[in-house]
Coordinates of all heavy atoms in Angstrom, one line a residue:
C1 N 76.0 -16.2 -7.6 CA 74.9 -16.7 -6.6 C 75.6 -17.1 -5.3 O 76.2 -16.3 -4.6 CB 74.2 -17.8 -7.3 SG 72.6 -18.2 -6.6
C2 N 75.3 -18.3 -4.8 CA 75.6 -18.8 -3.6 C 77.1 -18.6 -3.2 O 77.4 -18.4 -2.0 CB 75.2 -20.3 -3.3 SG 73.3 -20.3 -3.4
S3 N 78.0 -18.8 -4.0 CA 79.5 -18.8 -3.7 C 79.9 -17.4 -3.4 O 80.8 -17.2 -2.6 CB 80.3 -19.3 -5.0 OG 80.0 -18.4 -6.1
L4 N 79.1 -16.3 -3.8 CA 79.5 -14.9 -3.2 C 79.2 -14.9 -1.7 O 79.9 -14.3 -1.1 CB 78.5 -14.0 -3.9 CG 78.9 -13.5 -5.4 CD1 77.8 -12.7 -5.9 CD2 80.2 -13.0 -5.4
Y5 N 78.1 -15.5 -1.3 CA 77.8 -15.5 0.1 C 78.7 -16.4 1.0 O 79.1 -16.1 2.0 CB 76.4 -15.8 0.3 CG 75.4 -15.1 -0.6 CD1 74.4 -15.7 -1.4 CD2 75.6 -13.7 -0.8 CE1 73.6 -15.0 -2.3 CE2 74.7 -13.0 -1.7 CZ 73.8 -13.7 -2.4 OH 73.0 -13.1 -3.3
I6 N 78.9 -17.7 0.5 CA 79.7 -18.7 1.2 C 81.1 -18.2 1.4 O 81.7 -18.4 2.4 CB 79.5 -20.1 0.6 CG1 78.1 -20.6 0.8 CG2 80.5 -21.0 1.3 CD1 77.7 -21.8 -0.1
S7 N 81.6 -17.5 0.4 CA 83.0 -17.1 0.4 C 83.1 -15.9 1.3 O 84.3 -15.4 1.6 CB 83.5 -16.7 -1.1 OG 82.8 -15.5 -1.5
G8 N 82.1 -15.2 1.6 CA 82.0 -14.0 2.5 C 82.2 -12.8 1.7 O 82.3 -11.7 2.2
K9 N 82.3 -12.8 0.3 CA 82.3 -11.6 -0.4 C 81.1 -10.7 -0.4 O 81.3 -9.4 -0.6 CB 82.7 -12.0 -2.1 CG 84.0 -12.6 -2.2 CD 84.1 -13.0 -3.6 CE 85.4 -13.8 -3.9 NZ 85.6 -14.2 -5.2
Q10 N 80.0 -11.3 -0.2 CA 78.8 -10.6 0.0 C 77.9 -11.2 1.0 O 78.0 -12.4 1.3 CB 77.9 -10.4 -1.3 CG 78.5 -9.6 -2.3 CD 77.6 -9.5 -3.6 OE1 76.4 -9.9 -3.6 NE2 78.1 -9.0 -4.7
L11 N 77.1 -10.4 1.7 CA 76.1 -11.0 2.6 C 74.8 -11.3 1.8 O 74.4 -10.5 0.9 CB 75.7 -10.0 3.8 CG 76.8 -9.8 4.8 CD1 76.4 -8.8 5.7 CD2 77.3 -11.1 5.4
P12 N 74.1 -12.3 2.1 CA 72.8 -12.6 1.4 C 71.8 -11.4 1.6 O 71.7 -11.1 2.8 CB 72.3 -13.9 2.1 CG 73.5 -14.5 2.6 CD 74.5 -13.4 3.0
P13 N 71.3 -10.9 0.6 CA 70.3 -9.8 0.8 C 68.9 -10.0 1.3 O 68.2 -9.0 1.7 CB 70.3 -9.2 -0.7 CG 70.4 -10.5 -1.5 CD 71.4 -11.4 -0.8
N14 N 68.5 -11.3 1.4 CA 67.3 -11.7 1.9 C 67.3 -13.1 2.4 O 68.2 -13.8 2.2 CB 66.3 -11.5 0.8 CG 66.6 -12.1 -0.5 OD1 66.9 -13.4 -0.5 ND2 66.6 -11.5 -1.6
P15 N 66.2 -13.5 3.1 CA 66.1 -14.9 3.5 C 66.3 -15.9 2.5 O 66.9 -17.0 2.8 CB 64.8 -15.0 4.2 CG 64.5 -13.5 4.6 CD 65.0 -12.7 3.4
E16 N 65.7 -15.7 1.4 CA 65.8 -16.7 0.3 C 67.2 -16.9 -0.1 O 67.6 -18.1 -0.4 CB 64.9 -16.4 -1.0 CG 64.8 -17.5 -1.9 CD 64.0 -17.2 -3.1 OE1 63.1 -16.3 -3.2 OE2 64.0 -18.0 -4.1
S17 N 67.9 -15.9 -0.3 CA 69.3 -16.1 -0.8 C 70.1 -16.8 0.3 O 71.0 -17.5 0.1 CB 70.0 -14.7 -1.0 OG 69.4 -14.0 -2.1
L18 N 69.8 -16.5 1.5 CA 70.5 -17.2 2.7 C 70.0 -18.7 2.7 O 71.0 -19.5 2.9 CB 70.1 -16.5 4.0 CG 70.8 -17.2 5.3 CD1 72.3 -17.3 5.2 CD2 70.2 -16.5 6.5
L19 N 68.9 -19.0 2.5 CA 68.5 -20.4 2.5 C 69.2 -21.2 1.3 O 69.7 -22.2 1.6 CB 66.9 -20.5 2.2 CG 66.4 -21.9 2.0 CD1 66.5 -22.9 3.2 CD2 65.0 -21.9 1.6
R20 N 69.2 -20.5 0.2 CA 69.8 -21.1 -1.0 C 71.4 -21.4 -0.6 O 71.9 -22.4 -0.9 CB 69.7 -20.4 -2.2 CG 68.3 -20.4 -2.7 CD 68.0 -19.5 -4.0 NE 66.7 -19.5 -4.4 CZ 66.1 -20.5 -5.1 NH1 66.8 -21.6 -5.4 NH2 64.9 -20.4 -5.6
A21 N 72.0 -20.4 -0.1 CA 73.4 -20.5 0.2 C 73.6 -21.6 1.3 O 74.6 -22.4 1.2 CB 74.1 -19.2 0.7
R22 N 72.7 -21.7 2.3 CA 72.8 -22.8 3.3 C 72.6 -24.1 2.8 O 73.2 -25.1 3.1 CB 71.9 -22.4 4.4 CG 72.2 -21.3 5.3 CD 71.1 -20.9 6.3 NE 70.7 -22.0 7.1 CZ 71.2 -22.5 8.2 NH1 72.2 -22.0 8.6 NH2 70.7 -23.5 8.7
Y23 N 71.8 -24.3 1.7 CA 71.6 -25.5 1.1 C 73.0 -25.9 0.4 O 73.4 -27.0 0.5 CB 70.5 -25.4 0.0 CG 70.3 -26.5 -0.9 CD1 69.7 -27.7 -0.5 CD2 70.8 -26.6 -2.2 CE1 69.6 -28.8 -1.3 CE2 70.7 -27.6 -3.1 CZ 70.0 -28.8 -2.6 OH 69.9 -29.9 -3.5
I24 N 73.6 -25.0 -0.3 CA 74.9 -25.3 -1.0 C 76.0 -25.7 0.1 O 76.7 -26.6 -0.1 CB 75.2 -24.2 -1.8 CG1 74.4 -23.9 -3.0 CG2 76.8 -24.4 -2.4 CD1 74.2 -25.1 -3.9
A25 N 76.0 -24.9 1.2 CA 76.9 -25.2 2.3 C 76.7 -26.6 3.0 O 77.6 -27.3 3.1 CB 76.7 -24.1 3.4
Y26 N 75.4 -27.1 3.0 CA 75.0 -28.4 3.5 C 75.6 -29.4 2.4 O 76.2 -30.4 2.7 CB 73.7 -28.7 3.7 CG 73.3 -28.4 5.1 CD1 72.6 -27.3 5.6 CD2 73.5 -29.4 6.2 CE1 72.2 -27.1 6.9 CE2 73.1 -29.2 7.5 CZ 72.5 -28.1 7.8 OH 72.1 -27.9 9.2
M27 N 75.4 -29.2 1.1 CA 75.8 -30.0 0.1 C 77.3 -30.2 0.2 O 77.8 -31.4 -0.2 CB 75.5 -29.6 -1.2 CG 74.0 -29.7 -1.6 SD 73.7 -29.0 -3.4 CE 74.4 -30.4 -4.3
T28 N 78.0 -29.2 0.3 CA 79.5 -29.2 0.3 C 80.1 -29.5 1.7 O 81.3 -29.5 1.8 CB 80.0 -28.0 -0.3 OG1 79.7 -26.9 0.6 CG2 79.6 -27.7 -1.7
G29 N 79.4 -29.7 2.7 CA 79.8 -30.0 4.0 C 80.4 -28.8 4.9 O 81.2 -28.9 5.6
N30 N 80.1 -27.6 4.5 CA 80.5 -26.4 5.0 C 79.8 -26.1 6.3 O 79.0 -25.1 6.3 CB 80.7 -25.3 4.0 CG 81.4 -24.1 4.5 OD1 81.5 -23.8 5.7 ND2 81.8 -23.2 3.6
M31 N 80.0 -26.6 7.4 CA 79.4 -26.5 8.6 C 79.7 -25.2 9.3 O 78.9 -24.7 10.0 CB 79.6 -27.7 9.6 CG 79.0 -28.9 9.1 SD 77.2 -28.9 8.7 CE 77.2 -29.1 7.0
N32 N 81.0 -24.6 9.0 CA 81.3 -23.4 9.5 C 80.3 -22.3 9.0 O 79.9 -21.4 9.7 CB 82.7 -22.9 9.2 CG 83.7 -23.7 10.0 OD1 83.5 -24.2 11.1 ND2 84.9 -23.9 9.4
Y33 N 80.0 -22.3 7.7 CA 79.1 -21.3 7.0 C 77.7 -21.5 7.8 O 77.0 -20.6 8.1 CB 78.9 -21.5 5.6 CG 78.1 -20.3 5.1 CD1 78.5 -19.1 4.8 CD2 76.8 -20.7 4.6 CE1 77.6 -18.2 4.3 CE2 75.9 -19.8 4.2 CZ 76.4 -18.4 4.0 OH 75.5 -17.5 3.4
I34 N 77.3 -22.8 8.0 CA 76.0 -23.0 8.5 C 75.9 -22.5 9.8 O 75.0 -21.7 10.1 CB 75.7 -24.6 8.5 CG1 75.6 -25.1 7.1 CG2 74.5 -24.9 9.3 CD1 74.5 -24.6 6.2
A35 N 76.9 -22.7 10.7 CA 76.9 -22.1 12.0 C 77.0 -20.6 12.2 O 76.3 -20.0 12.9 CB 78.1 -22.6 12.9
N36 N 77.7 -20.1 11.2 CA 77.9 -18.6 11.1 C 76.6 -17.9 10.6 O 76.5 -16.6 10.8 CB 79.1 -18.2 10.4 CG 80.4 -18.5 10.9 OD1 80.5 -18.6 12.2 ND2 81.4 -18.8 10.2
T37 N 75.7 -18.5 10.1 CA 74.4 -18.0 9.6 C 73.3 -18.2 10.4 O 72.2 -18.0 10.1 CB 74.2 -18.4 8.2 OG1 74.0 -19.9 8.1 CG2 75.2 -17.9 7.2
M38 N 73.5 -18.8 11.7 CA 72.5 -19.0 12.6 C 72.6 -18.1 13.8 O 73.7 -17.6 14.1 CB 72.7 -20.5 13.1 CG 72.6 -21.6 12.1 SD 73.0 -23.3 12.6 CE 71.3 -23.8 12.9
H39 N 71.4 -18.0 14.5 CA 71.3 -17.2 15.7 C 70.3 -17.8 16.7 O 69.4 -18.5 16.1 CB 71.1 -15.8 15.4 CG 71.4 -14.8 16.4 ND1 70.4 -14.3 17.3 CD2 72.4 -14.0 16.5 CE1 71.0 -13.5 17.9 NE2 72.2 -13.2 17.6

């Protein structure tokens, strides 16, 4: 699930997968992932 996306092994295939991965990134304090998924 989310660890695939946060690790960079896969890109989230849809907005819901991206939202879920961003939630986990916030939980774990991974602001690099948060910034890299914004535009």
Side-chain angles (χ1 to χ4, degrees):
C1 195
C2 296
S3 63
L4 284 174
Y5 311 132
I6 294 171
S7 70
K9 291 179 182 175
Q10 289 184 10
L11 292 173
N14 54 51
E16 183 177 348
S17 296
L18 178 57
L19 172 68
R20 290 181 183 283
R22 286 172 51 85
Y23 172 75
I24 298 301
Y26 265 106
M27 284 182 73
T28 59
N30 188 340
M31 294 303 113
N32 286 333
Y33 183 79
I34 298 297
N36 289 334
T37 58
M38 300 172 101
H39 199 271

